[in-house]
């Protein structure tokens, strides 16, 4: 429809009858309105909310597997701590790290890792939730 979706995440909500779809796109106001109109046409969509940066929290999760030279493991482990990541698997010659945060933080960690051999990398895409008590529960 003439716009680019940068990330798309889907997951179950607090009510298992419903899933939440988070669509991320960098666009102008007219394109944003077009995206909302296109999703509004879908029969199964119950509610649409544009998440503004000023009153929302945005996060992404990444898992990355890195080939680790024996002389670099301490440096990688220190960087994982600095980025508040978590080592989720440690092999003889590789390490797998989980990292959550804003996309800029995840990208900065990937940039740091460019000096090593990245064996595998996966990112979830952006998800968001509004600040405060307001929420998307008006479904029925």
């Amino acid at each position: 429809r003439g716009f680019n979706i940068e990330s798309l995440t889907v997951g179950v909500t607090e009510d298992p009858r419903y899933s939440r779809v988070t669509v991320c796109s960098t666009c102008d106001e007219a394109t944003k309105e077009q995206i909302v109109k296109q999703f509004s046409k879908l029969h199964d969509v119950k509610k649409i909310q544009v998440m503004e940066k000023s009153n929302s929290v945005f996060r992404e999760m990444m898992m990355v597997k890195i080939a680790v030279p024996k002389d670099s493991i301490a440096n990688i482990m220190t960087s994982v701590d600095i980025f508040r990541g978590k080592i989720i698997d440690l092999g003889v010659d590789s390490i797998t790290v989980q990292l959550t945060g804003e996309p800029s933080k995840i990208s900065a960690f990937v940039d740091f890792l460019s000096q090593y051999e990245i064996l595998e990398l996966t990112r979830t895409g952006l998800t968001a939730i509004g600040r405060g008590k307001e929420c998307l529960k008006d479904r029925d």
Side-chain angles (χ1 to χ4, degrees):
R1 301 275 180 201
F3 52 84
N4 183 43
I5 293 175
E6 295 170 15
S7 78
L8 179 70
T9 58
V10 181
V12 70
T13 67
E14 68 285 349
D15 183 339
R17 297 177 299 161
Y18 300 102
S19 293
R20 182 174 182 145
V21 178
T22 304
V23 178
C24 179
S25 182
T26 302
C27 58
D28 59 24
E29 197 63 34
T31 304
K32 181 170 46 173
E33 289 175 14
Q34 184 65 29
I35 292 170
V36 170
K37 285 179 186 176
Q38 292 298 319
F39 277 98
S40 296
K41 290 179 183 179
L42 299 174
H43 173 71
D44 291 339
V45 172
K46 302 298 181 196
K47 188 171 183 179
I48 296 172
Q49 179 179 359
V50 175
M51 307 299 290
E52 301 295 340
K53 287 184 179 182
S54 60
N55 61 357
S56 304
V57 178
F58 298 88
R59 292 293 183 268
E60 184 175 352
M61 194 266 290
M62 173 187 72
M63 291 186 290
V64 59
K65 186 184 302 180
I66 312 140
V68 182
K70 294 196 185 320
D71 61 339
S72 299
I73 191 143
N75 189 32
I76 291 174
M77 292 177 86
T78 299
S79 68
V80 169
D81 285 341
I82 290 169
F83 280 88
R84 296 186 189 138
K86 182 177 181 181
I87 296 170
I88 57 174
D89 186 55
L90 182 59
V92 174
D93 54 2
S94 70
I95 189 168
T96 303
V97 176
Q98 173 185 308
L99 187 66
T100 59
E102 293 186 12
S104 59
K105 172 185 169 181
I106 302 219
S107 294
F109 188 65
V110 172
D111 289 345
F112 167 79
L113 292 176
S114 66
Q115 61 190 305
Y116 302 102
E117 181 185 0
I118 296 175
L119 301 171
E120 197 171 3
L121 184 147
T122 183
R123 291 173 77 156
T124 60
L126 202 61
T127 191
I129 195 164
R131 295 184 187 274
K133 196 171 179 180
E134 247 181 77
C135 57
L136 290 172
K137 286 193 176 190
D138 304 328
R139 295 189 187 108
D140 295 323

